[in-house]
Amino acid sequence: MLQTTPPQHAAIEAFGAYRPARVVTNDELATRVDTSDEWITTRVGIKERRYAAAHETVVSMAVEAGRDALGKAGVAGGEVDLLIVATCTAPSQLPSAAPQVAHLLGASAPGAYDVNAACAGFCYSLAQASHAIQAGAAQKALVIGVEKLTDWIDHDDRTTSIIFADGAGAAVVGRSGAQGIGPTVWGSAGDRPEAIIIRSRDQLLEMDGRAVFRWATTEVRAEVDRICGASGLSLRDIDIFVPHQANMRIIDNMLRALDFRDDVVVARDIALAGNTSAASIPLAIDTLLDAGQATSGDKVLTIGFGAGLTFAGQVFEMP
Ligand code: UT7
């Protein structure tokens, strides 16, 4: 029998975000591909999105979002002993982005690694940070979802170029007197690898949008009740619902089928942020906090889903 540290509780302390400066409207995209503001608005619910400039890299955007979250939590970079970057658009195969992000934030030799679970990456990484703190493997974790999808989309393909965008969102996770992050429900469907795929480093993203839409509105939707139940709650207890920002019609479809309260706050950040994959959930939460639509202690249910296929979600208490 080996010695172990006593179990701890983990909670989120603050969120942060970084949005690239450049706003790209539907009308701008319609000058390049055969589409329209009307089609994108009604079929996807996006009005505009952000595109990173050359100097806005996965690492630099992650650093900015991380710094924002640390500042809001009142935590110094040097206190971070675990840094997880959720991304599927890291510029290099090796090294991963997290050690560089940690170094630039002044963290002193933390555990640092990337997670590639596509659009579910933030929820997977939040789970790992929570587990590490609960197990005593870390005391202060920084979880960052970041993507520069514009490097990986075919800007002449109207089925993907109108959806994907860039940005970063972050959360500080620390020890707490009570558990503020519920059990994670996660899973995968590895029989559908081609639904969303980048075949190699010199190829661009391909997506079977209809297949992903169908999966999200059937199998993924059914997981929302399980996520809630894992925390011992009913959907009526949930104050804020933050699904992955993939398509406004997927969000509306989920809402129609799920028994949330009428006054549940629903993240609809996709309208102004587009689909930023692993960054979409923390960015959407940051938007709700900025707009005063979220209060400390609110019960938030998240669910991320995407390439793999993978999904993950949990309930947490808003810091
Ligand atoms: O974040 C990772 C997870 N990803 C997702 O969850 C994405 C899920 N899928 C979707 O959000 C939707 O499937 C899309 C937004 C990708 C596509 O919307 P859709 O309503 O499923 O469109 P569709 O592919 O069934 O296409 C309908 C029509 C087609 O024309 P025809 O064959 O009916 O004549 C397409 O060629 O719309 C056409 N179309 C477009 N028209 C104008 C496809 N893209 C466009 C476009 N502008 N950008």
Side-chain angles (χ1 to χ4, degrees):
M1 182 85 163
L2 301 179
Q3 187 179 320
T4 58
T5 44
Q8 305 289 328
H9 294 307
I12 298 177
E13 298 181 1
F15 282 94
Y18 179 77
R19 296 175 182 81
R22 183 162 171 239
V23 174
V24 176
T25 62
N26 294 340
D27 286 338
E28 180 178 339
L29 294 182
T31 63
R32 179 152 179 180
V33 293
D34 181 15
T35 190
S36 64
D37 176 49
E38 201 263 332
W39 193 93
I40 301 171
T41 304
T42 54
R43 304 295 292 188
V44 198
I46 299 175
K47 293 301 289 182
E48 60 187 44
R49 74 285 287 144
R50 303 294 182 105
Y51 277 14
H55 69 278
E56 292 170 309
T57 65
V58 164
V59 168
S60 79
M61 292 192 288
V63 167
E64 293 304 327
R67 189 173 284 134
D68 187 35
L70 289 171
K72 286 172 178 159
V75 169
E79 293 176 61
V80 173
D81 58 0
L82 175 65
L83 195 146
I84 308 173
V85 170
T87 188
C88 59
T89 54
S92 56
Q93 185 77 38
L94 282 175
S96 61
Q100 300 164 72
V101 174
H103 171 71
L104 291 167
L105 285 171
S108 43
Y113 59 95
D114 292 2
V115 165
N116 181 349
C119 308
F122 182 80
C123 295
Y124 271 83
S125 303
L126 182 60
Q128 293 185 343
S130 178
H131 299 162
I133 287 168
Q134 288 175 262
Q139 300 203 25
K140 203 65 92 177
L142 183 57
V143 178
I144 305 173
V146 55
E147 302 289 4
K148 192 171 178 181
L149 282 148
T150 52
D151 278 351
W152 297 93
I153 52 176
D154 177 351
H155 289 273
D156 292 315
D157 173 5
R158 68 177 182 174
T159 65
T160 50
S161 68
I162 56 127
I163 296 172
F164 292 109
D166 305 328
V172 177
V173 185
R175 279 191 182 174
S176 170
Q179 185 63 22
I181 303 170
T184 295
V185 171
W186 50 19
S188 58
D191 57 332
R192 280 162 274 179
E194 308 234 330
I196 309 173
I197 190 164
I198 299 173
R199 295 176 192 277
S200 67
R201 288 217 152 251
D202 54 7
Q203 285 184 291
L204 299 171
L205 186 145
E206 299 163 41
M207 179 171 77
D208 180 350
R210 283 183 207 185
V212 181
F213 193 102
R214 214 174 312 117
W215 172 70
T217 52
T218 53
E219 293 167 60
V220 175
R221 191 179 75 188
E223 299 294 336
V224 174
D225 281 311
R226 276 184 67 211
I227 292 167
C228 206
S231 283
L233 301 173
S234 97
L235 289 181
R236 314 292 292 176
D237 299 316
I238 299 301
D239 302 302
I240 303 178
F241 178 46
V242 188
H244 168 46
Q245 304 289 295
N247 185 321
M248 204 71 92
R249 286 191 296 131
I250 294 178
I251 298 172
D252 288 331
N253 178 295
M254 287 183 165
L255 280 176
R256 275 195 300 276
L258 295 165
D259 187 32
F260 286 113
R261 294 197 313 268
D262 290 344
D263 65 343
V264 69
V265 171
V266 179
R268 294 182 178 282
D269 200 38
I270 187 171
L272 300 181
N275 180 340
T276 56
S277 190
S280 93
I281 286 176
L283 273 173
I285 293 167
D286 181 79
T287 297
L288 292 176
L289 285 164
D290 262 6
Q293 287 184 276
T295 312
S296 177
D298 279 351
K299 290 191 176 52
V300 184
L301 190 154
T302 62
I303 183 156
F305 52 88
L309 299 167
T310 55
F311 67 84
Q314 58 269 111
V315 177
F316 66 82
E317 286 177 359
M318 191 64 95

